[in-house]
Amino acid sequence: MNEERKNQQAAAEPSLSEILQVRRDKLKALQDAGRDPFVQTRFERSAYSADIKNDFDAYDGKTLQAAGRIMSKRGMGKAIFCDIQDDRGQIQLYVRKDAVTEQEFADFRKYDIGDIIGVRGYAFKTKTGEISIHVQQITLLSKSLRPLPEKFHGMTNTELRYRQRYVDLIMNPESKRNFQIRSRFVAYLRRYLDGLGFMEVETPVLSPIAGGATARPFITHHNTLDIDMYMRIATELHLKRLIVGGLERVYEIGRIFRNEGMDPKHNPEFTTVELYQAYADFHDMMDIAEGVYTTFAQKYLGTYELNWMGETIDLTPGWPRLTMVDAVKQYVGVDFGAITDDAEAVAAAKAVGVELAEAAEKTWGNALYACFDQKVEEHLVQPTFITMYPVEVSPLAKRSPEDPHLTERYEMFVCGCEMGNAFSELNDPIDQYQRFKAQAEKRAHGDEEADKAHNHEAERQIEHRRSVVEEGVHRHQGEEADDDAVEPREDFDEHLFGAGRGMTVGDHHVDESRRHRHDDEQRDNAGQASEKTHFSSFLFGRHRRDALDTSARDCGSASVYEKGS
């Protein structure tokens, strides 16, 4: 019986094609009557829904004009209630037959969910106390020819939400909050870095060579020069040139393109923040990274506690800083600080169930990193800095003066996800040359993502480079929003931390990304110190060589980068 009833209801419901035709017929009737909504070009609004609700006393009884999309309608007699939505919220409209013209009321009764209207009236409270607008004039500004998703269930299909983000924004307030929070964060990030004396610059997106990171590039063709060019996979090289040229603190918020795997959390294009500071080291970059997160959380959320990925995260300043050796000792029980032999280190890793990648050299550094990558990251729930990475996975980071097997590098983790990466840049030209050679050998043996060595460029920059620090941050936008986040606090966390683990729309696959991330971010450090802190995606590499740069492009120019994904 239930199945029969469902079939009968389905048969009684109009099909989508019928609904579309009805809406088109309504539009044609309006146009034939000389009331075509699409000839409207401007509507002067004097108040938004949130303004009226938040400061009702200032609007009570006063004439105002509001506009928005009809989200619901109820009542069919002499009075009709409806809710309209603008970009700040929703507010109820009260439309009485005797308060508007006969034609306006007749037309309004035929308006559909999704239509956009402008109204003139005054603010008041209903008998139930709901703040509303008593409408005195209605103008149809745009006719919606397609129905919105059913209001009680909204838009729940994840793939559809990504493909039709505009409908997602209409139906899901949390998605709109994600965009708003992200916008605030980008603006705040700029103010924060500007306040520290950094200068924002804009660098080329097209390059005749793919470099600066371990990633496959997108290839395009320059018709005038008749050469293939590559979309940048990192912003590093040009920022380093600016440091060499005497600009001591620079950063870029820019789009990065990587021709690799994708899923709802990893997009081939994403945004990074990369900054360089002369005369500083990776400790200074840790202070900056921690400061960005903690001050933003306190300013816009009013608390250091956030809910993200099912965990309560405490951003209170003073995050733990562990060396990789200490972290492995604490969580795995293997003390690599007491091991000096490569074979012994590999054996110790194998004893705890850690196997090195087939292509990896069987060294102490690779064994240490494999133990950390496979056994430790998942335990780093609260914000934690892991420092002193092996040289093998940090080809462009400066060696530690205390232990030449390690580098002055950190990565920041939250909920087992890498959120940022930085290191003191390698500026020893001889050491850098040897590491470039090692990368070239990797490519010769089939590693397509190994960084290309550009000797003359590297030598020219490294020989002039001072001590520098680099930082990189990955951010993604609405598309990377966590679809499971439904609370405002989770919306905030999503954009503060990034969506989905070590990557978000715009990275590699999780396993690959964790492996490439390190090669990637290290090898971009050619002789400066820079750090990377990422906020939504975590693959943020760098950009390394561009033989055709003009001097003007080398110098860069002040600019504002925005990302979308």
Side-chain angles (χ1 to χ4, degrees):
M1 286 293 294
N2 289 338
E3 191 64 33
E4 289 183 15
R5 191 174 296 112
K6 288 181 180 179
N7 292 335
Q8 292 174 355
Q9 290 175 347
E13 292 176 357
S15 66
L16 177 60
S17 60
E18 292 175 324
I19 294 174
L20 297 179
Q21 187 58 53
V22 168
R23 293 198 174 208
R24 281 163 176 72
D25 291 343
K26 290 182 179 180
L27 173 62
K28 187 175 186 306
L30 289 170
Q31 293 172 330
D32 291 344
R35 297 192 298 279
D36 185 353
F38 296 126
V39 302
Q40 298 289 336
T41 58
R42 186 173 187 272
F43 181 84
E44 187 171 343
R45 173 166 46 190
S46 63
Y48 287 85
S49 59
D51 298 336
I52 300 170
K53 289 184 174 181
N54 295 336
D55 192 14
F56 175 72
D57 291 340
Y59 290 94
D60 186 13
K62 296 181 179 178
T63 299
L64 55 85
Q65 293 198 157
R69 186 184 297 275
I70 298 175
M71 300 302 292
S72 68
K73 282 180 68 180
R74 52 207 176 275
M76 290 301 293
K78 296 182 179 181
I80 301 175
F81 288 92
C82 82
D83 293 300
I84 62 169
Q85 175 176 286
D86 57 29
D87 71 347
R88 300 183 188 180
Q90 291 191 16
I91 192 167
Q92 178 176 268
L93 303 184
Y94 175 58
V95 184
R96 283 185 58 87
K97 184 176 183 179
D98 57 3
V100 296
T101 68
E102 183 177 348
Q103 186 64 63
E104 285 177 332
F105 191 77
D107 287 345
F108 182 70
R109 293 182 61 177
K110 299 177 183 179
Y111 291 168
D112 294 305
I113 305 301
D115 289 351
I116 296 176
I117 62 173
V119 299
R120 188 173 186 273
Y122 59 88
F124 79 109
K125 286 186 179 180
T126 63
K127 293 180 180 179
T128 60
E130 182 170 355
I131 296 173
S132 307
I133 298 175
H134 193 297
V135 178
Q136 298 171 314
Q137 182 179 333
I138 310 171
T139 304
L140 179 63
L141 303 176
S142 181
K143 180 66 183 173
S144 176
L145 300 182
R146 280 186 171 274
L148 293 175
E150 197 272 319
K151 68 175 183 177
F152 292 107
H153 300 97
M155 192 173 186
T156 57
N157 183 289
T158 300
E159 182 174 356
L160 192 61
R161 288 181 64 185
Y162 284 127
R163 292 184 180 279
Q164 297 183 16
R165 182 61 82 184
Y166 49 92
V167 182
D168 180 34
L169 289 171
I170 294 172
M171 301 304 299
N172 297 317
E174 66 273 14
S175 292
K176 184 179 294 183
R177 283 197 295 269
N178 286 341
F179 276 77
Q180 293 168 339
I181 291 169
R182 182 188 181 282
S183 178
R184 292 193 199 110
F185 182 80
V186 173
Y188 179 80
L189 177 62
R190 284 192 169 99
R191 292 196 300 271
Y192 187 91
L193 294 177
D194 292 345
L196 294 177
F198 284 86
M199 182 175 72
E200 183 176 14
V201 297
E202 179 178 356
T203 63
V205 172
L206 292 178
S207 172
I209 278 295
T214 50
R216 295 183 182 90
F218 283 96
I219 303 173
T220 186
H221 188 78
H222 194 300
N223 291 334
T224 301
L225 298 177
D226 193 24
I227 61 172
D228 284 341
M229 299 192 77
Y230 303 87
M231 303 291 285
R232 66 184 178 192
I233 56 177
T235 57
E236 174 171 323
L237 180 62
H238 298 289
L239 295 178
K240 289 180 177 178
R241 288 173 173 171
L242 297 178
I243 290 289
V244 171
L247 300 181
E248 297 181 357
R249 298 188 182 198
V250 296
Y251 74 94
E252 180 171 10
I253 300 175
R255 211 66 173 150
I256 300 300
F257 307 88
R258 297 186 176 182
N259 195 4
E260 298 173 334
M262 64 179 292
D263 59 40
K265 301 297 182 184
H266 312 104
N267 200 47
E269 58 174 305
F270 56 96
T271 298
T272 69
V273 175
E274 187 164 354
L275 53 132
Y276 286 78
Q277 178 179 349
Y279 312 118
D281 66 10
F282 73 130
H283 293 289
D284 298 286
M285 288 297 109
M286 279 189 274
D287 293 339
I288 291 176
E290 182 175 323
V292 170
Y293 281 103
T294 57
T295 56
F296 181 75
Q298 189 60 245
K299 180 177 178 64
Y300 287 97
L301 198 61
T303 177
Y304 289 121
E305 286 196 355
L306 312 172
N307 297 316
W308 190 56
M309 294 180 67
E311 300 284 352
T312 298
I313 305 301
D314 184 2
L315 293 178
T316 301
W319 298 354
R321 301 183 180 187
L322 292 174
T323 66
M324 185 174 288
V325 169
D326 288 342
V328 170
K329 181 179 180 180
Q330 177 177 333
Y331 292 102
V332 185
V334 178
D335 185 4
F336 277 86
I339 300 174
T340 57
D341 180 70
D342 287 341
E344 182 181 355
V346 173
K350 188 173 183 178
V352 293
V354 174
E355 294 288 345
L356 274 65
E358 186 175 337
E361 293 183 68
K362 303 305 184 283
T363 64
W364 178 90
N366 281 330
L368 169 63
Y369 176 72
C371 286
F372 173 79
D373 186 53
Q374 298 177 35
K375 297 290 187 178
V376 177
E377 286 190 12
E378 61 189 27
H379 297 290
L380 304 178
V381 176
Q382 297 303 318
T384 303
F385 290 107
I386 299 298
T387 66
M388 310 308 288
Y389 276 62
V391 172
E392 289 89 335
V393 295
S394 309
L396 298 186
K398 182 173 287 189
R399 293 177 189 267
S400 166
E402 289 77 27
D403 187 342
H405 295 94
L406 301 175
T407 61
E408 292 191 342
R409 173 196 176 191
Y410 84 69
E411 285 186 321
M412 181 185 75
F413 292 86
V414 179
C415 285
C417 303
E418 182 221 327
M419 304 307 299
N421 175 69
F423 38 79
S424 300
E425 292 278 351
L426 175 60
N427 59 352
D428 179 343
I430 305 303
D431 190 356
Q432 183 69 91
Y433 175 72
Q434 295 300 324
R435 299 197 202 181
F436 275 153
K437 284 184 62 178
Q439 293 299 303
E441 290 173 2
K442 283 187 176 182
R443 287 190 64 83
H445 287 85
D447 186 348
E448 295 181 10
E449 295 183 347
D451 202 11
K452 296 179 180 179
H454 309 296
N455 297 338
H456 67 285
E457 178 66 34
E459 291 169 2
R460 184 173 68 191
Q461 290 193 50
I462 295 170
E463 288 171 0
H464 293 285
R465 190 165 309 147
R466 71 199 82 193
S467 173
V468 183
V469 176
E470 167 194 22
E471 161 170 30
V473 177
H474 282 270
R475 287 191 337 286
H476 285 280
Q477 134 189 59
E479 273 79 298
E480 300 125 35
D482 185 341
D483 286 307
D484 295 329
V486 293
E487 299 178 357
R489 182 167 293 187
E490 290 187 354
D491 295 336
F492 173 88
D493 304 342
E494 151 89 5
H495 283 282
L496 181 59
F497 291 131
R501 145 5 262 110
M503 345 203 46
T504 144
V505 187
D507 299 334
H508 302 162
H509 295 304
V510 173
D511 291 340
E512 291 182 344
S513 68
R514 290 187 173 177
R515 173 170 53 86
H516 298 317
R517 221 184 306 171
H518 306 289
D519 300 351
D520 182 3
E521 299 148 338
Q522 273 105 82
R523 118 169 82 230
D524 336 345
N525 314 313
Q528 318 181 83
S530 116
E531 127 169 5
K532 305 207 165 204
T533 313
H534 110 209
F535 297 100
S536 202
S537 152
F538 92 74
L539 245 175
F540 53 90
R542 329 342 203 221
H543 182 323
R544 174 176 330 300
R545 135 93 260 135
D546 188 340
L548 295 181
D549 280 334
T550 64
S551 59
R553 293 166 82 191
D554 282 343
C555 292
S557 59
S559 73
V560 174
Y561 267 95
E562 240 316 326
K563 97 158 222 166
S565 57

